Structure formats: C-alpha cells, structure tokens
Amino acid sequence: MLLLSGSHSCSSLIQFKNSFSIAKDASWYCNDFAGLKSYPKTNSWKEGTDCCSWDGVTCDHLNAHVIALDLSCSWLYGNFPSNTTLFLLPHLQKLNLAYNDFNLSKIPSEFDRRHLFLDEINISSVNVHVFMNLSSSLRSLSLAGCVLYFSSCDLSEFPQILKGLKSLESLDLSCNRIEGKIPQRMKEVGNDSLTNYLNVSHNSLTEVEHFPWKNIISLDLSSNLIRGNLPIPASNISVFFISNNSFNGEVSSLICNATSLQILDLSHNNLSGTIPQRFGNLSNNLQFFNLKKNKFYGTIPPTFANGCQLSNFNLNGNLLEGPLTPSILIVKAIINSFNGEVSSLICNASFLRILDLSHNNLSGTIPPCFGSLSDSLEFLNLMKNKFYGTIPPTFAKGCNLSNFNLNGNLLEGPLTPSIFNCKGLEVLDLSNNKINDTFPHWLGSLPQLQVLVLKSNHMHGSLCVNSSKSSPFFSKIQIFDLSSNYFSGPLPVGYINNFKAIINLEKIGSTVSYMGVYGGRDCGFYMYSIGIVMKGQYMELVKIFTMWMIIDLSNNQFEGEIPKVFGKLNLLKGLNLSHNNLNGGIPTSIGNLTSLEWLDLSSNRLSGMIQLDW
C-alpha cells in the first residue's frame, strides 16, 4: 500500500515512466565508453507499491517526500515531455537523467525556481538539446558528453544560462564542440565560489588568457587546441590536467606554489626547458606526474627521491639524460637518454607495478633486487639498453610479472629457473642478447604464457620433449620465436601438438585487441611490445595484436623432415623455417593453413614437388 504522503509523488513518477519506451541502445554510451552499468531502472516502478523503494528514487525518510531521482543509464527513449510530471515533485532536490536518448527533444525551460528548487541536475547525454533557465541557487551542473559523437547539441559556445549562477560549485562542459577562448562572462560564474570542479576537456578551445577562478580545486583543460604559455593555477589546486594541447615555452616554477597538488598532467604539448627543481618539493603530495611527449631536457630533480608518493611517473618521449631518480612507484622513462647504472634504491619502491626503462643508455648489471620486487611488479621492460651480466637469479614465490622484456641488451649466462615462480607471465622477450643455455623446457608449464621470443642468442641443443611429461606444454602460446640460435635435432613435434591456442582448441577469451595491462588514467591500457621478423622484415611491434599467431624457427640447425602436424595450426598467420638443414618434401597438410599470410621455407635441402591444396 502506498504511503499517504507520497501517493501523489508515486502517481507522478508512473506518468513520467509512461512517457518513454525502453531501448537498450538508448544508453549505449554507458556500457561502451563510460564504464557504467546500464539497465532499465523503471522496470521496478509498479503501481500499488511504495515508490520510495523503487530503483533510482530517494525519499526523505521523515515524511516520504521524493527528494532525488537518478535515472541515469536507464534505457529511456523518447521525446522529453514539455509538461513533464516531474514538475509535480515539489521537494525534488537532485535529478540525474544522464545517458539516455531523448530523441533530440528539448529539456523544458521550466526547470527553474518557479517549479523546482534543484541543488543538482545532471543531463549528460549523447542525444539531447539543452535550453534551460536555471535557478541561481543551483550548485552543480553537468552537461558532459552532450555531443561526444553528435554535432546537433548546439553547445558550440559557453551557454548564456551559466551567467549569474552565483552559487555554482561544480561545472562540467566536457566533450562538446565549444570553440575559441573562455569568455569574460564565465569569470562571473560562481562569483569566485566555483571552488570544486571545472571540466572543459575534449572541446575546441584555443585560448586561456587569464586563469579565471582563484579558488578552483580541480581543473581539466585537456584535449583542446589551446596554445601559448602554461596558465598558473590557484595555489590550492589539487588536480590539474592540460594534456593534449599546444602549450609551449618553459614551465614556470610558480606552479610549484600549488602545494596541495596531487595530480599534474602536462603530457602531449610542446613544453620545453628543464624540469623546475622545485617540482621535487611537490613530490610529498603528488600521486600522478606526467610530462610525456614534450621537449624537456636536462636531468630529473634529485629531490624526487625524498619521500615521493607517486603512483604514476611518466617521462616518455622527452630529451632527458643523466642518472635515473629512484624511489617511485610507476616509472615510464621510455625514449630518453638516461645513462649510467640503475641504483638498487629503486627497489625501495615496494609497491612498484610498472617499470619501463626501455630505449635508454642504461648500463651495468640489473639490480638483483628486481627479482624480489616481482611480487608487486607486473610489467618490467628494460629493452634496448646496455645491461650486461646475468638475469637476476631469484624471482620471488608469488611473482606477479605478466610482461618481462630484456630485448637488445648484452646479457649472458643461463636462464634462471626461478622465472617459473611467475605463474601469470604472458610475454617473455629475451631476444638479442648473449644468453647461453639449452632450451628451457620448464617454460612450457607456465599456464598463461602467450609470447616467447628467444631469438638471436647462443642457445643450443635439442627441443625433444620428454614423453613422460603429462601436462600440456605451451597450451596458450601464440608467438613462438626461437630464430637465430644453435638449436638442432628434429623440429619440436611434441610442442606443436600442444599449441592449442593456434590449433583453435584453447579459447583466447580476450576482450581487448592488444596484449597489455591497465596502468592508470594516463596510459589506460599499457600495451606490451616485442621485436619480431614479419614477412622477412624485422619490426619492433609497439602493440601485440591478440590474434597474431606466429612461429619462427629460422636460422638454426634443425634437421629431418617438416612434420605434418604443422597442418593442424589453423589460426597460424606466419611460419618461418628458413635457413636450417630440413630435408624431404613439403607436407601437403601445409595447404590446410587457410589463415597463413606468410611462409618461408628457403635455404633448406627440401626436395620433391610442391603439392599444396589451397
């Protein structure tokens, strides 16, 4: 039975529900882009039941008045009624209609103080016109995502309705097509009380003349076309995003007056000069520091090593050099000119998840403590440096590594069997070193291993599988590259029979296109990379496509016939058996490889006729 004081409100909500139809596609943005779960909330709205218990409805428990309505991501489709029964909810304070499809209809202009004393309204959508007279008492307004993929929203400039909202604390105008510069009238918004949040990212802004709000805490200007010098944010700001713009010049040390700064993203601009030494003083507060893809040179401020709390530190694609500062949690220092040895102090970062020091001039031995970091470390990439000596001998039990890349160094000696402790290892690239060992058969028992690249080392011996081994070897392998070594004997029939992922017996089950790990806001999905020969050309793949299936056993001393079992590998994209001592004919089963894009059997002692049934 309905609560007496709420019966009128319940009836109004039922009428509002009946104004729309339910269509899953109306909330596609939630599932595909926003990472939000969508479902038809109004399905729980049943006549004869208490509306305070309905999904998305919040009531004042004292008198059962409806005070908040959250119908975001609710599959609502249809024209928004100009005489909506929401006007009959006099106590409504918060309204969230985000991510539905109102069929390009207008939100009624009557949403003002004459009808509702709203504290907060969210009408984020991908398909809605916005024309409203808003109450000056409104504290939060979100128009995010209005034209993320549609240009019919009419938000090509800062809306006139914002002028005079003296109590506004939070404003989100992201993902529109607003052009030009932030107008003078916007500085009147909130009357300097816009103290929480301003997001104008993903627009076409070109200029920020003066920083308009002195009390702002979170500012996002990212993904615009803004050029000129970097604006100096308010001293109490904690979040400052200006990535993907055209800011240039040096970074003023005045930015270091923002002693509450926790997130600073200056990536993908044209900023230059040295990194201000005073940045080191911010490291006690900073959690996210991104200078990726600029033109900074010189060295990292040494004081970053003192009490640094960074969870993401990205210097990728600059001109930095000198020694590498330790004691950081996530390091990306790719494509710079860092040199010298890596200090073992970096191992004090006990929560290190991603360590990418690739494409530098680092030398010396790899600190042995890297092995004990592996219980937290997921991604270790030391590719293209000058490290020598042996691979760290001890990887801790419970090793959490999923990617281990030492390609292009001067490492030697045997492989350490303790890598077997890394049960989640997906990619192992030890190519282009001087590793001297027989084939590490024990790698075949790693349950998640998908990519094994051992090319261009001093590895030798046979690849015959011990028949007593009962567990399937390399069942998830997709890329198997042993080229340019000294392996001998017959081709590894036992392994090939177990390549279930290539035989299409082992379901890959990946929901992404490329192999990698998730590494935070900046990098999002941090993709694995390897070096490999494809169609006769060496390529450094910055992405590994999840559907690539490649076997390269070329430039070894394999002998005997090509086994028929290769014909079972029906997902194989590339096969290279060239430059061996193989003899006999080409098995007709090779003709079963309908997914094959390149095949190289050259420089062997093959004979007979080519009889492939393609």
Side-chain angles (χ1 to χ4, degrees):
M1 186 171 181
L2 292 177
L3 293 174
L4 184 61
S5 59
S7 60
H8 182 69
S9 296
C10 295
S11 176
S12 299
L13 289 174
I14 289 291
Q15 292 180 58
F16 180 74
K17 168 189 174 179
N18 293 336
S19 301
F20 302 98
S21 58
I22 296 297
K24 185 175 182 179
D25 289 346
S27 299
W28 62 270
Y29 185 86
C30 301
N31 300 320
D32 294 349
F33 292 95
L36 302 172
K37 181 182 179 181
S38 73
Y39 62 98
K41 296 179 182 177
T42 56
N43 278 359
S44 66
W45 294 17
K46 307 292 185 183
E47 291 191 73
T49 60
D50 180 8
C51 59
C52 292
S53 66
W54 294 349
D55 207 348
V57 179
T58 301
C59 293
D60 182 337
H61 293 296
L62 187 63
N63 49 36
H65 293 150
V66 176
I67 57 174
L69 188 59
D70 182 358
L71 290 176
S72 58
C73 301
S74 293
W75 301 11
L76 298 180
Y77 176 78
N79 295 325
F80 203 97
S82 59
N83 59 344
T84 175
T85 54
L86 292 182
F87 295 149
L88 303 178
L89 303 176
H91 302 283
L92 192 65
Q93 298 172 25
K94 295 184 179 181
L95 175 63
N96 190 344
L97 302 176
Y99 306 121
N100 291 288
D101 189 342
F102 298 125
N103 200 27
L104 294 177
S105 57
K106 297 179 181 180
I107 299 296
S109 60
E110 284 79 7
F111 276 103
D112 64 12
R113 72 171 72 201
R114 292 172 296 170
H115 294 274
L116 296 173
F117 289 96
L118 287 170
D119 290 328
E120 179 177 329
I121 182 169
N122 186 340
I123 50 177
S124 305
S125 179
V126 294
N127 206 354
V128 61
H129 279 303
V130 182
F131 295 98
M132 295 188 301
N133 298 317
L134 296 173
S135 168
S136 61
S137 64
L138 190 68
R139 291 191 293 108
S140 177
L141 173 66
S142 174
L143 304 176
C146 189
V147 285
L148 185 59
Y149 290 102
F150 300 91
S151 60
S152 57
C153 191
D154 291 330
L155 282 180
S156 59
E157 61 181 12
F158 287 89
Q160 295 282 345
I161 58 175
L162 297 176
K163 185 176 180 180
L165 297 180
K166 301 300 183 184
S167 301
L168 192 66
E169 298 175 0
S170 178
L171 176 62
D172 188 339
L173 294 171
S174 61
C175 302
N176 281 285
R177 50 186 177 90
I178 302 172
E179 301 177 345
K181 62 183 180 181
I182 297 178
Q184 181 69 30
R185 71 172 186 273
M186 282 296 294
K187 300 173 187 180
E188 303 173 19
V189 173
N191 194 22
D192 277 336
S193 66
L194 186 60
T195 55
N196 287 341
Y197 176 80
L198 173 63
N199 187 349
V200 289
S201 65
H202 294 88
N203 281 285
S204 299
L205 294 170
T206 56
E207 190 175 348
V208 179
E209 287 184 336
H210 302 288
F211 190 76
W213 296 278
K214 63 184 179 182
N215 295 318
I216 201 77
I217 293 175
S218 176
L219 176 65
D220 192 343
L221 301 175
S222 61
S223 298
N224 278 283
L225 306 171
I226 307 172
R227 53 188 178 269
N229 294 327
L230 192 68
I232 304 301
S235 60
N236 62 336
I237 197 168
S238 63
V239 177
F240 189 33
F241 288 110
I242 66 140
S243 61
N244 291 286
N245 280 286
S246 299
F247 288 107
N248 52 39
E250 298 191 1
V251 176
S252 170
S253 62
L254 291 177
I255 200 173
C256 302
N257 293 335
T259 53
S260 299
L261 203 59
Q262 297 179 30
I263 297 176
L264 179 61
D265 189 348
L266 311 182
S267 63
H268 293 275
N269 280 285
N270 293 314
L271 299 168
S272 59
T274 58
I275 301 174
Q277 294 293 317
R278 288 182 60 200
F279 269 174
N281 300 332
L282 294 175
S283 60
N284 288 330
N285 305 311
L286 276 177
Q287 299 176 21
F288 183 104
F289 182 61
N290 191 353
L291 303 184
K292 176 181 178 180
K293 297 291 184 181
N294 280 284
K295 299 174 183 176
F296 291 107
Y297 54 82
T299 60
I300 304 174
T303 47
F304 263 121
N306 301 327
C308 186
Q309 302 295 313
L310 283 169
S311 62
N312 193 311
F313 184 51
N314 195 332
L315 303 176
N316 179 2
N318 282 282
L319 306 171
L320 298 163
E321 57 188 2
L324 186 66
T325 298
S327 300
I328 41 190
L329 300 186
I330 294 185
V331 178
K332 301 188 194 79
I334 317 163
I335 314 177
N336 284 282
S337 299
F338 292 115
N339 54 38
E341 298 189 2
V342 175
S343 169
S344 60
L345 289 175
I346 202 169
C347 298
N348 293 337
S350 55
F351 298 102
L352 193 65
R353 286 188 52 233
I354 297 175
L355 179 60
D356 190 340
L357 306 179
S358 61
H359 296 273
N360 282 286
N361 292 314
L362 298 167
S363 60
T365 58
I366 300 173
C369 61
F370 275 12
S372 33
L373 272 177
S374 59
D375 58 346
S376 63
L377 202 61
E378 297 177 35
F379 187 108
L380 178 58
N381 189 351
L382 305 181
M383 177 181 182
K384 298 289 184 180
N385 280 284
K386 297 176 182 176
F387 290 109
Y388 54 82
T390 60
I391 299 172
T394 305
F395 285 85
K397 287 187 177 180
C399 166
N400 204 32
L401 275 178
S402 60
N403 180 287
F404 188 25
N405 193 333
L406 300 177
N407 176 6
N409 283 281
L410 305 170
L411 298 165
E412 55 190 4
L415 291 181
T416 169
S418 67
I419 293 177
F420 188 68
N421 289 329
C422 307
K423 302 295 186 184
L425 194 63
E426 297 177 353
V427 176
L428 178 61
D429 186 352
L430 305 178
S431 58
N432 298 291
N433 280 284
K434 299 179 179 180
I435 297 170
N436 191 339
D437 201 351
T438 56
F439 183 72
H441 297 277
W442 43 269
L443 286 175
S445 295
L446 288 174
Q448 304 300 325
L449 191 63
Q450 299 167 49
V451 176
L452 177 62
V453 184
L454 302 177
K455 73 183 300 285
S456 299
N457 278 286
H458 297 162
M459 306 193 76
H460 53 86
S462 171
L463 267 67
C464 289
V465 182
N466 187 340
S467 59
S468 65
K469 297 288 185 181
S470 57
S471 60
F473 272 24
F474 298 110
S475 62
K476 289 196 175 181
I477 206 73
Q478 297 177 220
I479 297 177
F480 190 70
D481 186 351
L482 309 183
S483 61
S484 300
N485 280 284
Y486 300 95
F487 292 117
S488 59
L491 292 171
V493 174
Y495 289 144
I496 297 167
N497 261 319
N498 278 298
F499 288 171
K500 293 184 177 181
I502 308 179
I503 300 173
N504 199 20
L505 295 178
E506 181 81 24
K507 196 169 184 178
I508 298 172
S510 177
T511 58
V512 293
S513 299
Y514 301 98
M515 298 181 191
V517 294
Y518 286 93
R521 174 191 161 106
D522 160 62
C523 52
F525 191 69
Y526 197 52
M527 288 174 286
Y528 301 153
S529 61
I530 57 168
I532 201 164
V533 174
M534 184 180 297
K535 300 183 181 180
Q537 298 292 322
Y538 177 79
M539 299 182 184
E540 189 173 310
L541 304 177
V542 295
K543 304 175 182 178
I544 306 177
F545 187 46
T546 53
M547 295 306 296
W548 269 335
M549 309 286 178
I550 301 169
I551 296 177
D552 192 342
L553 303 176
S554 63
N555 290 287
N556 279 284
Q557 298 170 9
F558 290 113
E559 57 191 22
E561 296 186 352
I562 299 174
K564 295 179 181 179
V565 68
F566 277 107
K568 295 169 60 176
L569 306 177
N570 54 2
L571 296 183
L572 197 64
K573 298 286 186 184
L575 176 61
N576 190 347
L577 303 178
S578 66
H579 295 87
N580 280 287
N581 293 316
L582 301 174
N583 57 34
I586 301 173
T588 57
S589 62
I590 296 292
N592 298 331
L593 303 181
T594 55
S595 298
L596 203 64
E597 296 181 7
W598 70 94
L599 172 66
D600 192 346
L601 305 178
S602 63
S603 299
N604 281 287
R605 294 187 291 114
L606 300 174
S607 59
M609 298 180 64
I610 298 176
Q611 297 179 353
L612 302 181
D613 186 18
W614 268 315

